[in-house]
Structure formats: C-alpha cells, structure tokens
Amino acid sequence: MSWVYLAVERTDFDVLVIGNPCVDLIFSGLPHWPVPGKEVYATHFAIGAGAVFNTAAALSRLGLRVALLGELGNDCLSRYLLEEIRRAGIHSELIRQRTQPIAALSVALVHNDERGFVSYVERAASPAAASHPERQELEAELLPPFSLAELRALLQHYRWQAVFLYLHPALGPALELFAEQGIKVFLDTGWHPRLLGDPRLPEVLRRCSAFLPNRLEAEALTGAHDPETAARQLAHVAPLVVVKLGAEGALACQGEQLWHCPAWPVSEVLDPTGAGDAFDAGFIYALLQGYALPTALRCGTICGSLATTALTGSAAVPGAAELERLLRESAP
C-alpha cells in the first residue's frame, strides 16, 4: 500500500512527526502504587492521545505547521486517534489507515509526581522485519511504517524544516536521506531494553541534529551513573545531546560545553505523562525560531513543566504568545 498524492506543487510544513500514536488512559492521584490482589482508586482520570501525538500537538499549538506520518487501523481506538489528530490542527494526509484493527494503548499510573506505564501494541510487522524474524517483534512495535522508497517519494511532494521521531537502530538510511535535503532531525527515545542496547545506535545518532533522551534512557545507553557523564559520552556521538531531568530541568552537551536549565516552577504536578514530549516541542520550536541553545532549553522546560499541570501530555502546553511572554519574564 502506498500514499496517493493530491498535490502537484510541493507543500511546505515546519515539522514532520513520524511514528504511531496511541490512546492514553491516565489515572492520577493514587494514594499508593497498586498492590497485587487489592484495589486502589485514583482521584483524577482522563483519556487522551499519546506517544508522538503529544509532541505533534504541542508543536501545532505553538503555531508550527505539523504533519504526522504514521499508521492507524479501522478500530474504535484508531478512529478516536484520528479525530484527536485533526482536532489538534495536525495535517493527517500522511497517516496510513489499514483495513484491520491496530490496537495501541497505554495505561499511565501517577503517584508522588512519578508515573508508570502498562502498554500494549498490536500492529502488522514491517517489511524490513519480515526478513529478520528475530527482530520482528521489536520492529513491529517501534519502526515507523514506511519504506525508503516511500519516504523518497514523500520528499518530492512535501518540504519540511525538521523531522521528529523516536530512535531506532534501522533509521540510518532514512536519516541520510533527510540530511541530503538539509532537514534537521530531532530524535527522542523510549524505554525499551533491547533497543537501548542495540550496537547500531551510535551510527544512527551520528546522523541526527539533536538527541533528546531522559535521564534513565541516557544512563542506560551509556552505562553512566549520572546524567552529566551520560550527556558527555553521548555528545561524542551525537552533535547535540539534551537530557531531560524531570523536576531538575534539563541539561545539554555540545562538544565539551555543558548547559543546565532548571525546571519552570509550577504549583502542582497533576500528571507528568508526556512532559518530556512537551519539552521536545518547546525545544524544537525555539531552535526553528533561531534562538540560542540556552534559550531553547528554557523554552523546553517551560513547555515540559506546564504540561504536568493537567491530565494528558498536551492539554496544558502554552501557545506561542504565552511561551514568548513567559520567556521574556524569565529573562535576566
């Protein structure tokens, strides 16, 4: 199955977000973590779209033109996700809809400003995975649904300043293609032990513009026991590394230089789910606006911190005018 292009002229967007969204069920305000055999009640609950949707929706709220390249099915969860994508102002023409159910669901449990997840993903294996059965499960879960030929065809009809997607060991050829077009590539990653230990990752990271892991992911990738050491080690591979530190803010490393930015103060953390995704959006927005790296870190921490004040990862992300106002107020 291939995309059908309606446009003859190239269509310009600011950011292409690649990946598959999921439905998030968020339970917040737990008195304690669940105990086997017992029931626990949350004080807050929400249903929302999650995964790459969070970053795409936050970028759209910040006034950027955003397209999402991903895969949905014909089930009720997929229909809900498509409605949310369109409601958020995200261009949905590049979403492939399969005539089969594709379940993608995460349950987020929030307690003491921290969260844990139970996730389930059911989707067709990619063509690349078919020739490597030992990788089939991993790539069916994580590899975006496109071939290199389809991606090359997309670039004949669409133009982007930047691409955002999750780190995957099979992304090298795609990132080379983006580099040929002068497109900035921003990579985040999820918690997946087999992926984080894959020996192909350094070659992928060399081809990105910026790598945006959180503390646990950065330390797992490097074996370091603190985020600063992890950032310095990753910066020997990726040209720019930003490590998200939750309530401690974020740090960036480029070459031998290190920057730290504290978190933006908020009165209450209701749901940290998707805060890192919102940080990514604020950071990308700032760099595309031409801001210096310290200012980009501040934009990221503003968006990430504010995202924790409401349920779901994009509900409380500021618009561009509000972000710029807060940025001016925080200037020394």
Side-chain angles (χ1 to χ4, degrees), residues 149-310:
E150 288 172 323
L151 184 58
R152 189 174 286 108
L154 281 175
L155 291 169
Q156 298 298 315
H157 294 267
Y158 298 88
R159 186 183 290 113
W160 298 280
Q161 293 187 62
V163 171
F164 172 85
L165 69 167
Y166 284 94
L167 177 66
H168 192 283
L171 284 178
L175 300 196
E176 286 183 6
L177 190 57
F178 291 135
E180 291 172 5
Q181 300 287 327
I183 298 170
K184 295 180 175 66
V185 175
F186 296 89
L187 293 177
D188 200 339
T189 188
W191 182 258
H192 201 296
R194 280 184 296 159
L195 182 148
L196 295 176
D198 195 293
R200 296 172 290 172
L201 291 184
E203 286 302 316
V204 175
L205 289 174
R206 286 189 179 94
R207 293 180 170 90
C208 75
S209 305
F211 180 44
L212 304 156
N214 65 28
R215 182 204 307 256
L216 291 178
E217 294 154 354
E219 292 176 359
L221 278 163
T222 60
H225 298 292
D226 66 90
E228 181 175 323
T229 301
R232 290 189 184 278
Q233 291 183 17
L234 289 168
H236 290 140
V237 182
L240 171 61
V241 176
V242 178
V243 180
K244 293 166 284 191
L245 305 175
E248 298 175 28
L251 62 85
C253 189
Q254 190 171 46
E256 298 300 320
Q257 194 166 3
L258 199 72
W259 296 263
H260 178 264
C261 183
W264 186 257
V266 295
S267 58
E268 180 185 15
V269 173
L270 189 60
D271 174 25
T273 307
D277 302 325
F279 175 97
D280 294 342
F283 185 81
I284 293 168
Y285 164 86
L287 289 189
L288 294 185
Q289 298 301 311
Y291 288 132
L293 184 53
T295 304
L297 284 175
R298 172 47 73 201
C299 288
T301 57
I302 291 173
C303 290
S305 294
L306 291 180
T308 69
T309 63

Side-chain angles (χ1 to χ4, degrees), residues 16 81 144:
L16 172 65
L81 288 170

